[in-house]
Amino acid sequence: MAVMTYRDALNAALREEMARDPDVFLMGEEVAEYDGAYKVSKGLLAEFGDHRVVDSPISELGFGGLCVGAAMAGLRPVVEFMTFNFAFLALDQVINSAAKLLYMSNGQFPIPIVFRGPTGAALQLSAQHSQACETYYVHAPGVKVVTPATPADAKGLLKAAIRDNDPVAFMEGELLYNFKGEVPEDDDFVIPLGVADLKHEGDDVTIVTHGKMVHVALQAANKLSTEGIGADVVDLRSIRPLDVDAILRSVQKTNRAVYLEEGWAYVGVGAQIVATIQEEAFDYLDAPVLRVTQADVPMPYAKNLEMMAKPSADRVVEACNKVLYREAR
Amino acid sequence: MAGTKTRRAKAPKESPFDMHGIAPELALDLLREMLRYRRFEEKAEEAYAIGKIGGFCHLHIGQEGVAAGAIKALRESDYVITAYRDHTEAIAKGVAPTAVMAELFGRTGGTSGGKGGSMHMFARSVRFMGGHGIVSGQVPLATGIAFRIKYKSEDDIVACFMGDAAVNQGGFHEALNMAAIWELPVIFVVENNHYGMGTAFRRVSLTDMVERSSPYAIPASKVNGQDVLATYAHFRDLAAEVRNGGGPRFVDVETYRFRGHSMSDPVSGTYRPKEEVEQHTHFDDPIAILRDHLFEAGSLDQDGLEAMDAEAREEAQEAFEFADASPVPGPEALYEHVWADVDGNGRLRFDGREEAPWR
């Protein structure tokens, strides 16, 4: 084990997978000479050369599509989007090409590609730079969606995503890049997609979440524990494939659930989770499943409004108290 | 429609026919190819009319010179990718007409097992990289295939076909720019039939087609796609340049669509007058043009032509019969090939039909 940042864990995963498989290459804006807008690709140009670490023009649709074509022809591209906010321009190639080519060709063209970059809000970047984009990707059959919350998960899941033969949207957190944690140094440390992780244990209420919000959920769980309430924090780690069993196991134990996500509520990830829980664990529920999400508005710039718009640990505690029919202290 | 019985009047502008250094045997092969495509598409048209084919069906009739001239000038190991008017380009690349017709019929014997349809022919084994349905969607993909060739230091090339309308899409420009800066081995081929569905190119562009690659410093050229020998000779030269590391090329291939945009669209109407279509079908039929010249040169006679045409018609009829006899996909095919890797961890499907949905 080594203590490293989420950024360095991603960097290690890229380095190890590029060393392991010569067909893996990285393309994106500022990934090479600039060492990455967020320095995730630091040192990779020096190590692997401009043949495999490729600075692209600012052409998301173009280089997104180019990499899908490279995957059709047998390479294993890792596409870095500086942020997923910019990747809307490439969405046609993700949904209409990457997600569908295997099916439309009756299995002739697997598309082993990773689209990675930060999703969600940072601090005071306003509406166009502060949005959680998971829903757009997870909606389409054919794309897997992975959202690591910790350095260890970042490394193990990115390695799994690169080795996977399907398109994977690998969605990081800008505010997580400096977050430190213990990470196995083993070259074969791979976390399979579709396995959730119980990040906190308790018997009274289940908080299901993914990505950066895991840390907000943990704050809420810690606060609840000081009040004698035990919360399970189920970190999905990947939204598709979805570890439904892990969610049901926890809900069957606690009989109460809250979904926490950074994005908007309307047809968000939580809508799917709530639907799944009521379809498959209805008889276990002692209260409606509630959601804590971003306010249903574009992200405002002003600090106070931004704080109001974002989901917070206090709101999670409030939602947990509601499903527990409990007065807040 | 190219007839085999009567000879057409020659266009008044016609100058002595240039064989472009192409031997009569090869010219005959190209004529045979174009007849195969024509008869195939006519058979598809017939099958569509009697309800054997559904959805959109875009025919290539009138544009056979582009498919034959460009694709036959490539090596077998070169890649071809195109848009949704893809039937004859698939056949030109080596896909069996039976498999193309079966795909049109939505049958298991189709190139995509019936799951792609008219717009999505694929054949990895012969490097036919598909049939893509979003205008210009295939242009970045082609650039990526060319990226792979360069990445692996191989000497194949990519021919990327598109309609004239594709050049107004952003992805076209982004892809051409990247192909240029990285000197990728790809020929961007505009099948310029002058209409994007019902919109004349001159109404949506102030620049000539051949200017469209100039911002990216990609050498451009123009060729008459109705003259298959000129097209073949041009692509033979371009392929050599690109294969030798010359970087990408852009070609405006002048052609004309003899049918409507798709089977559901009118051949002529407010967007192009009937007289214009008649003028082209009369004077610009790539099959008739080559046929007449081979007659004149003494390389072909009426009997030879009729034998060649009979073979083409027979092949189309066999494709029809194969497709008609090919089974429809079984219900188990519905969920096949959505995912390449299903390892049992987590759930991938969320439609409430998890248990044997077809029973």
Side-chain angles (χ1 to χ4, degrees), chain B residues 245-283:
Chain B
R249 293 290 185 274
F250 178 79
V251 200
D252 171 7
V253 187
E254 292 277 316
T255 187
Y256 198 80
R257 158 163 62 74
F258 289 3
R259 294 292 192 271
H261 171 66
S262 80
M263 282 299 294
S264 351
D265 301 303
V267 176
S268 58
T270 48
Y271 76 98
R272 61 175 192 183
K274 198 167 167 229
E275 297 70 33
E276 179 190 302
V277 178
E278 283 171 358
Q279 178 80 6
H280 281 283
T281 51
H282 196 65
F283 292 116

mmCIF file of all heavy atoms in Angstrom, chain B residues 245-283:
data_model
loop_
_atom_site.group_PDB
_atom_site.id
_atom_site.type_symbol
_atom_site.label_atom_id
_atom_site.label_comp_id
_atom_site.label_asym_id
_atom_site.label_seq_id
_atom_site.Cartn_x
_atom_site.Cartn_y
_atom_site.Cartn_z
ATOM 1 N N GLY B 245 2.773 7.635 -47.921
ATOM 2 C CA GLY B 245 3.004 8.602 -46.855
ATOM 3 C C GLY B 245 2.674 10.029 -47.226
ATOM 4 O O GLY B 245 3.110 10.973 -46.543
ATOM 5 N N GLY B 246 1.895 10.202 -48.266
ATOM 6 C CA GLY B 246 1.566 11.560 -48.711
ATOM 7 C C GLY B 246 0.519 12.277 -47.878
ATOM 8 O O GLY B 246 0.207 13.437 -48.144
ATOM 9 N N GLY B 247 -0.025 11.576 -46.889
ATOM 10 C CA GLY B 247 -1.073 12.202 -46.084
ATOM 11 C C GLY B 247 -2.415 12.115 -46.778
ATOM 12 O O GLY B 247 -2.548 11.484 -47.830
ATOM 13 N N PRO B 248 -3.424 12.740 -46.189
ATOM 14 C CA PRO B 248 -4.789 12.586 -46.701
ATOM 15 C C PRO B 248 -5.019 13.290 -48.033
ATOM 16 O O PRO B 248 -4.254 14.175 -48.426
ATOM 17 C CB PRO B 248 -5.646 13.221 -45.609
ATOM 18 C CG PRO B 248 -4.744 14.178 -44.916
ATOM 19 C CD PRO B 248 -3.368 13.598 -44.988
ATOM 20 N N ARG B 249 -6.070 12.861 -48.719
ATOM 21 C CA ARG B 249 -6.510 13.492 -49.958
ATOM 22 C C ARG B 249 -8.015 13.705 -49.884
ATOM 23 O O ARG B 249 -8.720 12.985 -49.170
ATOM 24 C CB ARG B 249 -6.196 12.597 -51.172
ATOM 25 C CG ARG B 249 -4.723 12.420 -51.456
ATOM 26 C CD ARG B 249 -4.096 13.718 -51.987
ATOM 27 N NE ARG B 249 -2.704 13.533 -52.367
ATOM 28 C CZ ARG B 249 -1.680 13.631 -51.528
ATOM 29 N NH1 ARG B 249 -1.887 13.876 -50.242
ATOM 30 N NH2 ARG B 249 -0.444 13.467 -51.956
ATOM 31 N N PHE B 250 -8.479 14.662 -50.665
ATOM 32 C CA PHE B 250 -9.907 14.978 -50.724
ATOM 33 C C PHE B 250 -10.321 14.957 -52.190
ATOM 34 O O PHE B 250 -9.668 15.580 -53.021
ATOM 35 C CB PHE B 250 -10.132 16.371 -50.124
ATOM 36 C CG PHE B 250 -11.556 16.855 -50.153
ATOM 37 C CD1 PHE B 250 -12.488 16.410 -49.217
ATOM 38 C CD2 PHE B 250 -11.969 17.789 -51.107
ATOM 39 C CE1 PHE B 250 -13.798 16.874 -49.238
ATOM 40 C CE2 PHE B 250 -13.280 18.259 -51.125
ATOM 41 C CZ PHE B 250 -14.191 17.793 -50.191
ATOM 42 N N VAL B 251 -11.367 14.210 -52.496
ATOM 43 C CA VAL B 251 -11.798 14.105 -53.900
ATOM 44 C C VAL B 251 -13.271 14.435 -54.032
ATOM 45 O O VAL B 251 -14.112 13.864 -53.325
ATOM 46 C CB VAL B 251 -11.631 12.676 -54.457
ATOM 47 C CG1 VAL B 251 -11.611 12.727 -55.980
ATOM 48 C CG2 VAL B 251 -10.424 11.991 -53.915
ATOM 49 N N ASP B 252 -13.551 15.320 -54.939
ATOM 50 C CA ASP B 252 -14.931 15.638 -55.310
ATOM 51 C C ASP B 252 -15.276 14.765 -56.524
ATOM 52 O O ASP B 252 -14.783 15.009 -57.624
ATOM 53 C CB ASP B 252 -14.991 17.138 -55.655
ATOM 54 C CG ASP B 252 -16.326 17.555 -56.261
ATOM 55 O OD1 ASP B 252 -17.271 16.732 -56.295
ATOM 56 O OD2 ASP B 252 -16.410 18.724 -56.696
ATOM 57 N N VAL B 253 -16.060 13.742 -56.286
ATOM 58 C CA VAL B 253 -16.446 12.854 -57.382
ATOM 59 C C VAL B 253 -17.837 13.262 -57.853
ATOM 60 O O VAL B 253 -18.824 13.103 -57.137
ATOM 61 C CB VAL B 253 -16.447 11.373 -56.941
ATOM 62 C CG1 VAL B 253 -16.675 10.480 -58.161
ATOM 63 C CG2 VAL B 253 -15.139 11.006 -56.271
ATOM 64 N N GLU B 254 -17.868 13.797 -59.051
ATOM 65 C CA GLU B 254 -19.131 14.280 -59.605
ATOM 66 C C GLU B 254 -19.993 13.112 -60.035
ATOM 67 O O GLU B 254 -19.562 12.257 -60.826
ATOM 68 C CB GLU B 254 -18.836 15.128 -60.855
ATOM 69 C CG GLU B 254 -18.126 16.417 -60.554
ATOM 70 C CD GLU B 254 -19.117 17.498 -60.139
ATOM 71 O OE1 GLU B 254 -20.178 17.622 -60.789
ATOM 72 O OE2 GLU B 254 -18.816 18.201 -59.163
ATOM 73 N N THR B 255 -21.218 13.059 -59.519
ATOM 74 C CA THR B 255 -22.094 11.965 -59.899
ATOM 75 C C THR B 255 -23.535 12.452 -59.877
ATOM 76 O O THR B 255 -23.786 13.662 -59.767
ATOM 77 C CB THR B 255 -21.851 10.737 -58.982
ATOM 78 O OG1 THR B 255 -22.583 9.635 -59.461
ATOM 79 C CG2 THR B 255 -22.204 11.009 -57.544
ATOM 80 N N TYR B 256 -24.463 11.541 -60.041
ATOM 81 C CA TYR B 256 -25.869 11.942 -60.044
ATOM 82 C C TYR B 256 -26.720 10.768 -59.568
ATOM 83 O O TYR B 256 -26.488 9.618 -59.957
ATOM 84 C CB TYR B 256 -26.316 12.379 -61.445
ATOM 85 C CG TYR B 256 -27.597 13.206 -61.412
ATOM 86 C CD1 TYR B 256 -27.551 14.565 -61.074
ATOM 87 C CD2 TYR B 256 -28.828 12.614 -61.680
ATOM 88 C CE1 TYR B 256 -28.710 15.308 -61.009
ATOM 89 C CE2 TYR B 256 -29.998 13.376 -61.613
ATOM 90 C CZ TYR B 256 -29.930 14.712 -61.279
ATOM 91 O OH TYR B 256 -31.071 15.452 -61.209
ATOM 92 N N ARG B 257 -27.669 11.091 -58.716
ATOM 93 C CA ARG B 257 -28.571 10.067 -58.171
ATOM 94 C C ARG B 257 -29.790 9.963 -59.074
ATOM 95 O O ARG B 257 -30.485 10.950 -59.284
ATOM 96 C CB ARG B 257 -28.922 10.455 -56.725
ATOM 97 C CG ARG B 257 -30.167 9.876 -56.157
ATOM 98 C CD ARG B 257 -30.222 9.973 -54.632
ATOM 99 N NE ARG B 257 -30.205 11.336 -54.076
ATOM 100 C CZ ARG B 257 -31.225 12.181 -54.108
ATOM 101 N NH1 ARG B 257 -32.337 11.866 -54.709
ATOM 102 N NH2 ARG B 257 -31.112 13.378 -53.558
ATOM 103 N N PHE B 258 -30.012 8.784 -59.638
ATOM 104 C CA PHE B 258 -31.118 8.606 -60.587
ATOM 105 C C PHE B 258 -32.452 8.361 -59.887
ATOM 106 O O PHE B 258 -33.500 8.428 -60.513
ATOM 107 C CB PHE B 258 -30.835 7.412 -61.525
ATOM 108 C CG PHE B 258 -29.728 7.664 -62.527
ATOM 109 C CD1 PHE B 258 -28.995 8.859 -62.524
ATOM 110 C CD2 PHE B 258 -29.413 6.707 -63.483
ATOM 111 C CE1 PHE B 258 -27.983 9.084 -63.448
ATOM 112 C CE2 PHE B 258 -28.405 6.931 -64.419
ATOM 113 C CZ PHE B 258 -27.684 8.115 -64.395
ATOM 114 N N ARG B 259 -32.409 8.044 -58.605
ATOM 115 C CA ARG B 259 -33.636 7.778 -57.851
ATOM 116 C C ARG B 259 -33.834 8.876 -56.808
ATOM 117 O O ARG B 259 -33.020 9.780 -56.670
ATOM 118 C CB ARG B 259 -33.543 6.417 -57.146
ATOM 119 C CG ARG B 259 -33.481 5.230 -58.074
ATOM 120 C CD ARG B 259 -34.795 5.041 -58.822
ATOM 121 N NE ARG B 259 -34.825 3.732 -59.488
ATOM 122 C CZ ARG B 259 -34.368 3.504 -60.726
ATOM 123 N NH1 ARG B 259 -33.859 4.507 -61.435
ATOM 124 N NH2 ARG B 259 -34.419 2.298 -61.238
ATOM 125 N N GLY B 260 -34.926 8.734 -56.054
ATOM 126 C CA GLY B 260 -35.151 9.673 -54.952
ATOM 127 C C GLY B 260 -34.105 9.459 -53.862
ATOM 128 O O GLY B 260 -33.333 8.499 -53.907
ATOM 129 N N HIS B 261 -34.104 10.343 -52.879
ATOM 130 C CA HIS B 261 -33.153 10.224 -51.776
ATOM 131 C C HIS B 261 -33.244 8.827 -51.159
ATOM 132 O O HIS B 261 -32.246 8.167 -50.930
ATOM 133 C CB HIS B 261 -33.442 11.296 -50.727
ATOM 134 C CG HIS B 261 -32.674 11.128 -49.461
ATOM 135 N ND1 HIS B 261 -31.300 11.262 -49.410
ATOM 136 C CD2 HIS B 261 -33.066 10.791 -48.205
ATOM 137 C CE1 HIS B 261 -30.903 11.029 -48.165
ATOM 138 N NE2 HIS B 261 -31.943 10.743 -47.422
ATOM 139 N N SER B 262 -34.448 8.394 -50.859
ATOM 140 C CA SER B 262 -34.649 7.012 -50.423
ATOM 141 C C SER B 262 -35.881 6.501 -51.140
ATOM 142 O O SER B 262 -36.511 7.231 -51.907
ATOM 143 C CB SER B 262 -34.834 6.934 -48.902
ATOM 144 O OG SER B 262 -36.158 7.273 -48.545
ATOM 145 N N MET B 263 -36.226 5.258 -50.885
ATOM 146 C CA MET B 263 -37.387 4.676 -51.550
ATOM 147 C C MET B 263 -38.676 5.423 -51.203
ATOM 148 O O MET B 263 -39.664 5.310 -51.915
ATOM 149 C CB MET B 263 -37.517 3.200 -51.160
ATOM 150 C CG MET B 263 -36.551 2.276 -51.883
ATOM 151 S SD MET B 263 -36.763 2.281 -53.675
ATOM 152 C CE MET B 263 -38.405 1.561 -53.816
ATOM 153 N N SER B 264 -38.668 6.155 -50.096
ATOM 154 C CA SER B 264 -39.886 6.877 -49.714
ATOM 155 C C SER B 264 -39.944 8.273 -50.323
ATOM 156 O O SER B 264 -40.894 9.008 -50.071
ATOM 157 C CB SER B 264 -39.978 6.994 -48.187
ATOM 158 O OG SER B 264 -39.017 6.220 -47.541
ATOM 159 N N ASP B 265 -38.924 8.652 -51.083
ATOM 160 C CA ASP B 265 -38.864 10.026 -51.594
ATOM 161 C C ASP B 265 -39.064 10.080 -53.103
ATOM 162 O O ASP B 265 -38.716 9.144 -53.815
ATOM 163 C CB ASP B 265 -37.509 10.640 -51.237
ATOM 164 C CG ASP B 265 -37.264 10.654 -49.748
ATOM 165 O OD1 ASP B 265 -38.093 11.241 -49.027
ATOM 166 O OD2 ASP B 265 -36.261 10.065 -49.297
ATOM 167 N N PRO B 266 -39.600 11.207 -53.584
ATOM 168 C CA PRO B 266 -39.821 11.342 -55.023
ATOM 169 C C PRO B 266 -38.505 11.496 -55.788
ATOM 170 O O PRO B 266 -37.527 12.025 -55.266
ATOM 171 C CB PRO B 266 -40.641 12.628 -55.136
ATOM 172 C CG PRO B 266 -40.294 13.413 -53.920
ATOM 173 C CD PRO B 266 -40.020 12.411 -52.843
ATOM 174 N N VAL B 267 -38.492 10.998 -57.030
ATOM 175 C CA VAL B 267 -37.296 11.098 -57.865
ATOM 176 C C VAL B 267 -37.029 12.559 -58.241
ATOM 177 O O VAL B 267 -35.907 13.027 -58.230
ATOM 178 C CB VAL B 267 -37.467 10.240 -59.135
ATOM 179 C CG1 VAL B 267 -36.268 10.421 -60.074
ATOM 180 C CG2 VAL B 267 -37.636 8.780 -58.766
ATOM 181 N N SER B 268 -38.107 13.252 -58.589
ATOM 182 C CA SER B 268 -37.961 14.672 -58.920
ATOM 183 C C SER B 268 -39.139 15.397 -58.288
ATOM 184 O O SER B 268 -39.984 14.790 -57.652
ATOM 185 C CB SER B 268 -37.942 14.858 -60.435
ATOM 186 O OG SER B 268 -39.139 14.337 -60.987
ATOM 187 N N GLY B 269 -39.151 16.713 -58.490
ATOM 188 C CA GLY B 269 -40.222 17.488 -57.866
ATOM 189 C C GLY B 269 -39.749 18.908 -57.703
ATOM 190 O O GLY B 269 -38.986 19.412 -58.534
ATOM 191 N N THR B 270 -40.138 19.522 -56.617
ATOM 192 C CA THR B 270 -39.806 20.934 -56.450
ATOM 193 C C THR B 270 -38.302 21.161 -56.348
ATOM 194 O O THR B 270 -37.802 22.212 -56.723
ATOM 195 C CB THR B 270 -40.475 21.482 -55.185
ATOM 196 O OG1 THR B 270 -40.203 20.563 -54.119
ATOM 197 C CG2 THR B 270 -41.979 21.602 -55.350
ATOM 198 N N TYR B 271 -37.563 20.172 -55.859
ATOM 199 C CA TYR B 271 -36.130 20.424 -55.628
ATOM 200 C C TYR B 271 -35.270 20.170 -56.853
ATOM 201 O O TYR B 271 -34.162 20.676 -56.959
ATOM 202 C CB TYR B 271 -35.629 19.623 -54.421
ATOM 203 C CG TYR B 271 -35.408 18.138 -54.657
ATOM 204 C CD1 TYR B 271 -34.135 17.644 -54.921
ATOM 205 C CD2 TYR B 271 -36.468 17.239 -54.596
ATOM 206 C CE1 TYR B 271 -33.927 16.289 -55.127
ATOM 207 C CE2 TYR B 271 -36.265 15.883 -54.800
ATOM 208 C CZ TYR B 271 -34.982 15.410 -55.067
ATOM 209 O OH TYR B 271 -34.774 14.081 -55.253
ATOM 210 N N ARG B 272 -35.729 19.325 -57.762
ATOM 211 C CA ARG B 272 -34.986 19.137 -59.015
ATOM 212 C C ARG B 272 -36.002 18.726 -60.093
ATOM 213 O O ARG B 272 -36.787 17.790 -59.893
ATOM 214 C CB ARG B 272 -33.844 18.119 -58.903
ATOM 215 C CG ARG B 272 -34.246 16.712 -58.531
ATOM 216 C CD ARG B 272 -33.034 15.761 -58.573
ATOM 217 N NE ARG B 272 -33.472 14.366 -58.502
ATOM 218 C CZ ARG B 272 -32.661 13.313 -58.468
ATOM 219 N NH1 ARG B 272 -31.350 13.490 -58.486
ATOM 220 N NH2 ARG B 272 -33.127 12.080 -58.413
ATOM 221 N N PRO B 273 -36.002 19.453 -61.217
ATOM 222 C CA PRO B 273 -37.020 19.195 -62.232
ATOM 223 C C PRO B 273 -36.814 17.849 -62.922
ATOM 224 O O PRO B 273 -35.693 17.340 -63.019
ATOM 225 C CB PRO B 273 -36.847 20.348 -63.221
ATOM 226 C CG PRO B 273 -35.493 20.895 -62.961
ATOM 227 C CD PRO B 273 -35.131 20.579 -61.550
ATOM 228 N N LYS B 274 -37.908 17.333 -63.391
ATOM 229 C CA LYS B 274 -37.916 16.063 -64.106
ATOM 230 C C LYS B 274 -36.938 16.076 -65.288
ATOM 231 O O LYS B 274 -36.237 15.096 -65.554
ATOM 232 C CB LYS B 274 -39.341 15.840 -64.619
ATOM 233 C CG LYS B 274 -39.655 14.433 -65.005
ATOM 234 C CD LYS B 274 -41.172 14.272 -65.191
ATOM 235 C CE LYS B 274 -41.461 12.950 -65.891
ATOM 236 N NZ LYS B 274 -42.367 13.065 -67.014
ATOM 237 N N GLU B 275 -36.903 17.219 -65.970
ATOM 238 C CA GLU B 275 -36.043 17.333 -67.166
ATOM 239 C C GLU B 275 -34.571 17.151 -66.796
ATOM 240 O O GLU B 275 -33.794 16.571 -67.558
ATOM 241 C CB GLU B 275 -36.219 18.706 -67.849
ATOM 242 C CG GLU B 275 -37.615 18.975 -68.395
ATOM 243 C CD GLU B 275 -38.672 19.178 -67.306
ATOM 244 O OE1 GLU B 275 -38.331 19.716 -66.217
ATOM 245 O OE2 GLU B 275 -39.835 18.780 -67.521
ATOM 246 N N GLU B 276 -34.217 17.682 -65.615
ATOM 247 C CA GLU B 276 -32.818 17.544 -65.183
ATOM 248 C C GLU B 276 -32.488 16.065 -64.958
ATOM 249 O O GLU B 276 -31.440 15.576 -65.395
ATOM 250 C CB GLU B 276 -32.596 18.332 -63.882
ATOM 251 C CG GLU B 276 -31.188 18.214 -63.356
ATOM 252 C CD GLU B 276 -31.015 18.778 -61.943
ATOM 253 O OE1 GLU B 276 -31.302 19.968 -61.742
ATOM 254 O OE2 GLU B 276 -30.578 18.014 -61.056
ATOM 255 N N VAL B 277 -33.385 15.369 -64.307
ATOM 256 C CA VAL B 277 -33.152 13.944 -64.038
ATOM 257 C C VAL B 277 -33.049 13.187 -65.362
ATOM 258 O O VAL B 277 -32.151 12.358 -65.556
ATOM 259 C CB VAL B 277 -34.272 13.357 -63.147
ATOM 260 C CG1 VAL B 277 -34.040 11.864 -62.913
ATOM 261 C CG2 VAL B 277 -34.346 14.102 -61.815
ATOM 262 N N GLU B 278 -33.947 13.529 -66.286
ATOM 263 C CA GLU B 278 -33.944 12.839 -67.595
ATOM 264 C C GLU B 278 -32.652 13.094 -68.359
ATOM 265 O O GLU B 278 -32.089 12.198 -68.985
ATOM 266 C CB GLU B 278 -35.143 13.283 -68.428
ATOM 267 C CG GLU B 278 -36.425 12.611 -67.962
ATOM 268 C CD GLU B 278 -37.676 13.191 -68.625
ATOM 269 O OE1 GLU B 278 -37.547 14.161 -69.431
ATOM 270 O OE2 GLU B 278 -38.773 12.702 -68.311
ATOM 271 N N GLN B 279 -32.201 14.320 -68.297
ATOM 272 C CA GLN B 279 -30.950 14.684 -68.958
ATOM 273 C C GLN B 279 -29.801 13.809 -68.446
ATOM 274 O O GLN B 279 -29.008 13.280 -69.212
ATOM 275 C CB GLN B 279 -30.668 16.183 -68.658
ATOM 276 C CG GLN B 279 -29.386 16.717 -69.235
ATOM 277 C CD GLN B 279 -29.533 17.062 -70.723
ATOM 278 O OE1 GLN B 279 -30.623 16.993 -71.282
ATOM 279 N NE2 GLN B 279 -28.423 17.419 -71.344
ATOM 280 N N HIS B 280 -29.759 13.645 -67.137
ATOM 281 C CA HIS B 280 -28.676 12.851 -66.538
ATOM 282 C C HIS B 280 -28.833 11.369 -66.830
ATOM 283 O O HIS B 280 -27.852 10.697 -67.139
ATOM 284 C CB HIS B 280 -28.627 13.087 -65.026
ATOM 285 C CG HIS B 280 -27.951 14.376 -64.661
ATOM 286 N ND1 HIS B 280 -26.591 14.519 -64.680
ATOM 287 C CD2 HIS B 280 -28.458 15.569 -64.289
ATOM 288 C CE1 HIS B 280 -26.278 15.763 -64.327
ATOM 289 N NE2 HIS B 280 -27.399 16.425 -64.088
ATOM 290 N N THR B 281 -30.042 10.859 -66.699
ATOM 291 C CA THR B 281 -30.196 9.414 -66.939
ATOM 292 C C THR B 281 -29.896 9.100 -68.411
ATOM 293 O O THR B 281 -29.395 8.036 -68.739
ATOM 294 C CB THR B 281 -31.610 8.912 -66.574
ATOM 295 O OG1 THR B 281 -32.568 9.751 -67.210
ATOM 296 C CG2 THR B 281 -31.846 8.963 -65.083
ATOM 297 N N HIS B 282 -30.162 10.066 -69.289
ATOM 298 C CA HIS B 282 -29.936 9.855 -70.712
ATOM 299 C C HIS B 282 -28.454 9.969 -71.093
ATOM 300 O O HIS B 282 -27.935 9.149 -71.843
ATOM 301 C CB HIS B 282 -30.756 10.873 -71.496
ATOM 302 C CG HIS B 282 -30.895 10.521 -72.953
ATOM 303 N ND1 HIS B 282 -31.586 9.398 -73.378
ATOM 304 C CD2 HIS B 282 -30.430 11.121 -74.064
ATOM 305 C CE1 HIS B 282 -31.535 9.345 -74.689
ATOM 306 N NE2 HIS B 282 -30.837 10.372 -75.146
ATOM 307 N N PHE B 283 -27.807 10.974 -70.556
ATOM 308 C CA PHE B 283 -26.428 11.231 -70.998
ATOM 309 C C PHE B 283 -25.351 10.823 -69.999
ATOM 310 O O PHE B 283 -24.186 10.726 -70.359
ATOM 311 C CB PHE B 283 -26.243 12.720 -71.312
ATOM 312 C CG PHE B 283 -27.025 13.163 -72.516
ATOM 313 C CD1 PHE B 283 -28.040 14.092 -72.392
ATOM 314 C CD2 PHE B 283 -26.742 12.636 -73.773
ATOM 315 C CE1 PHE B 283 -28.766 14.507 -73.499
ATOM 316 C CE2 PHE B 283 -27.466 13.045 -74.886
ATOM 317 C CZ PHE B 283 -28.486 13.979 -74.757
#
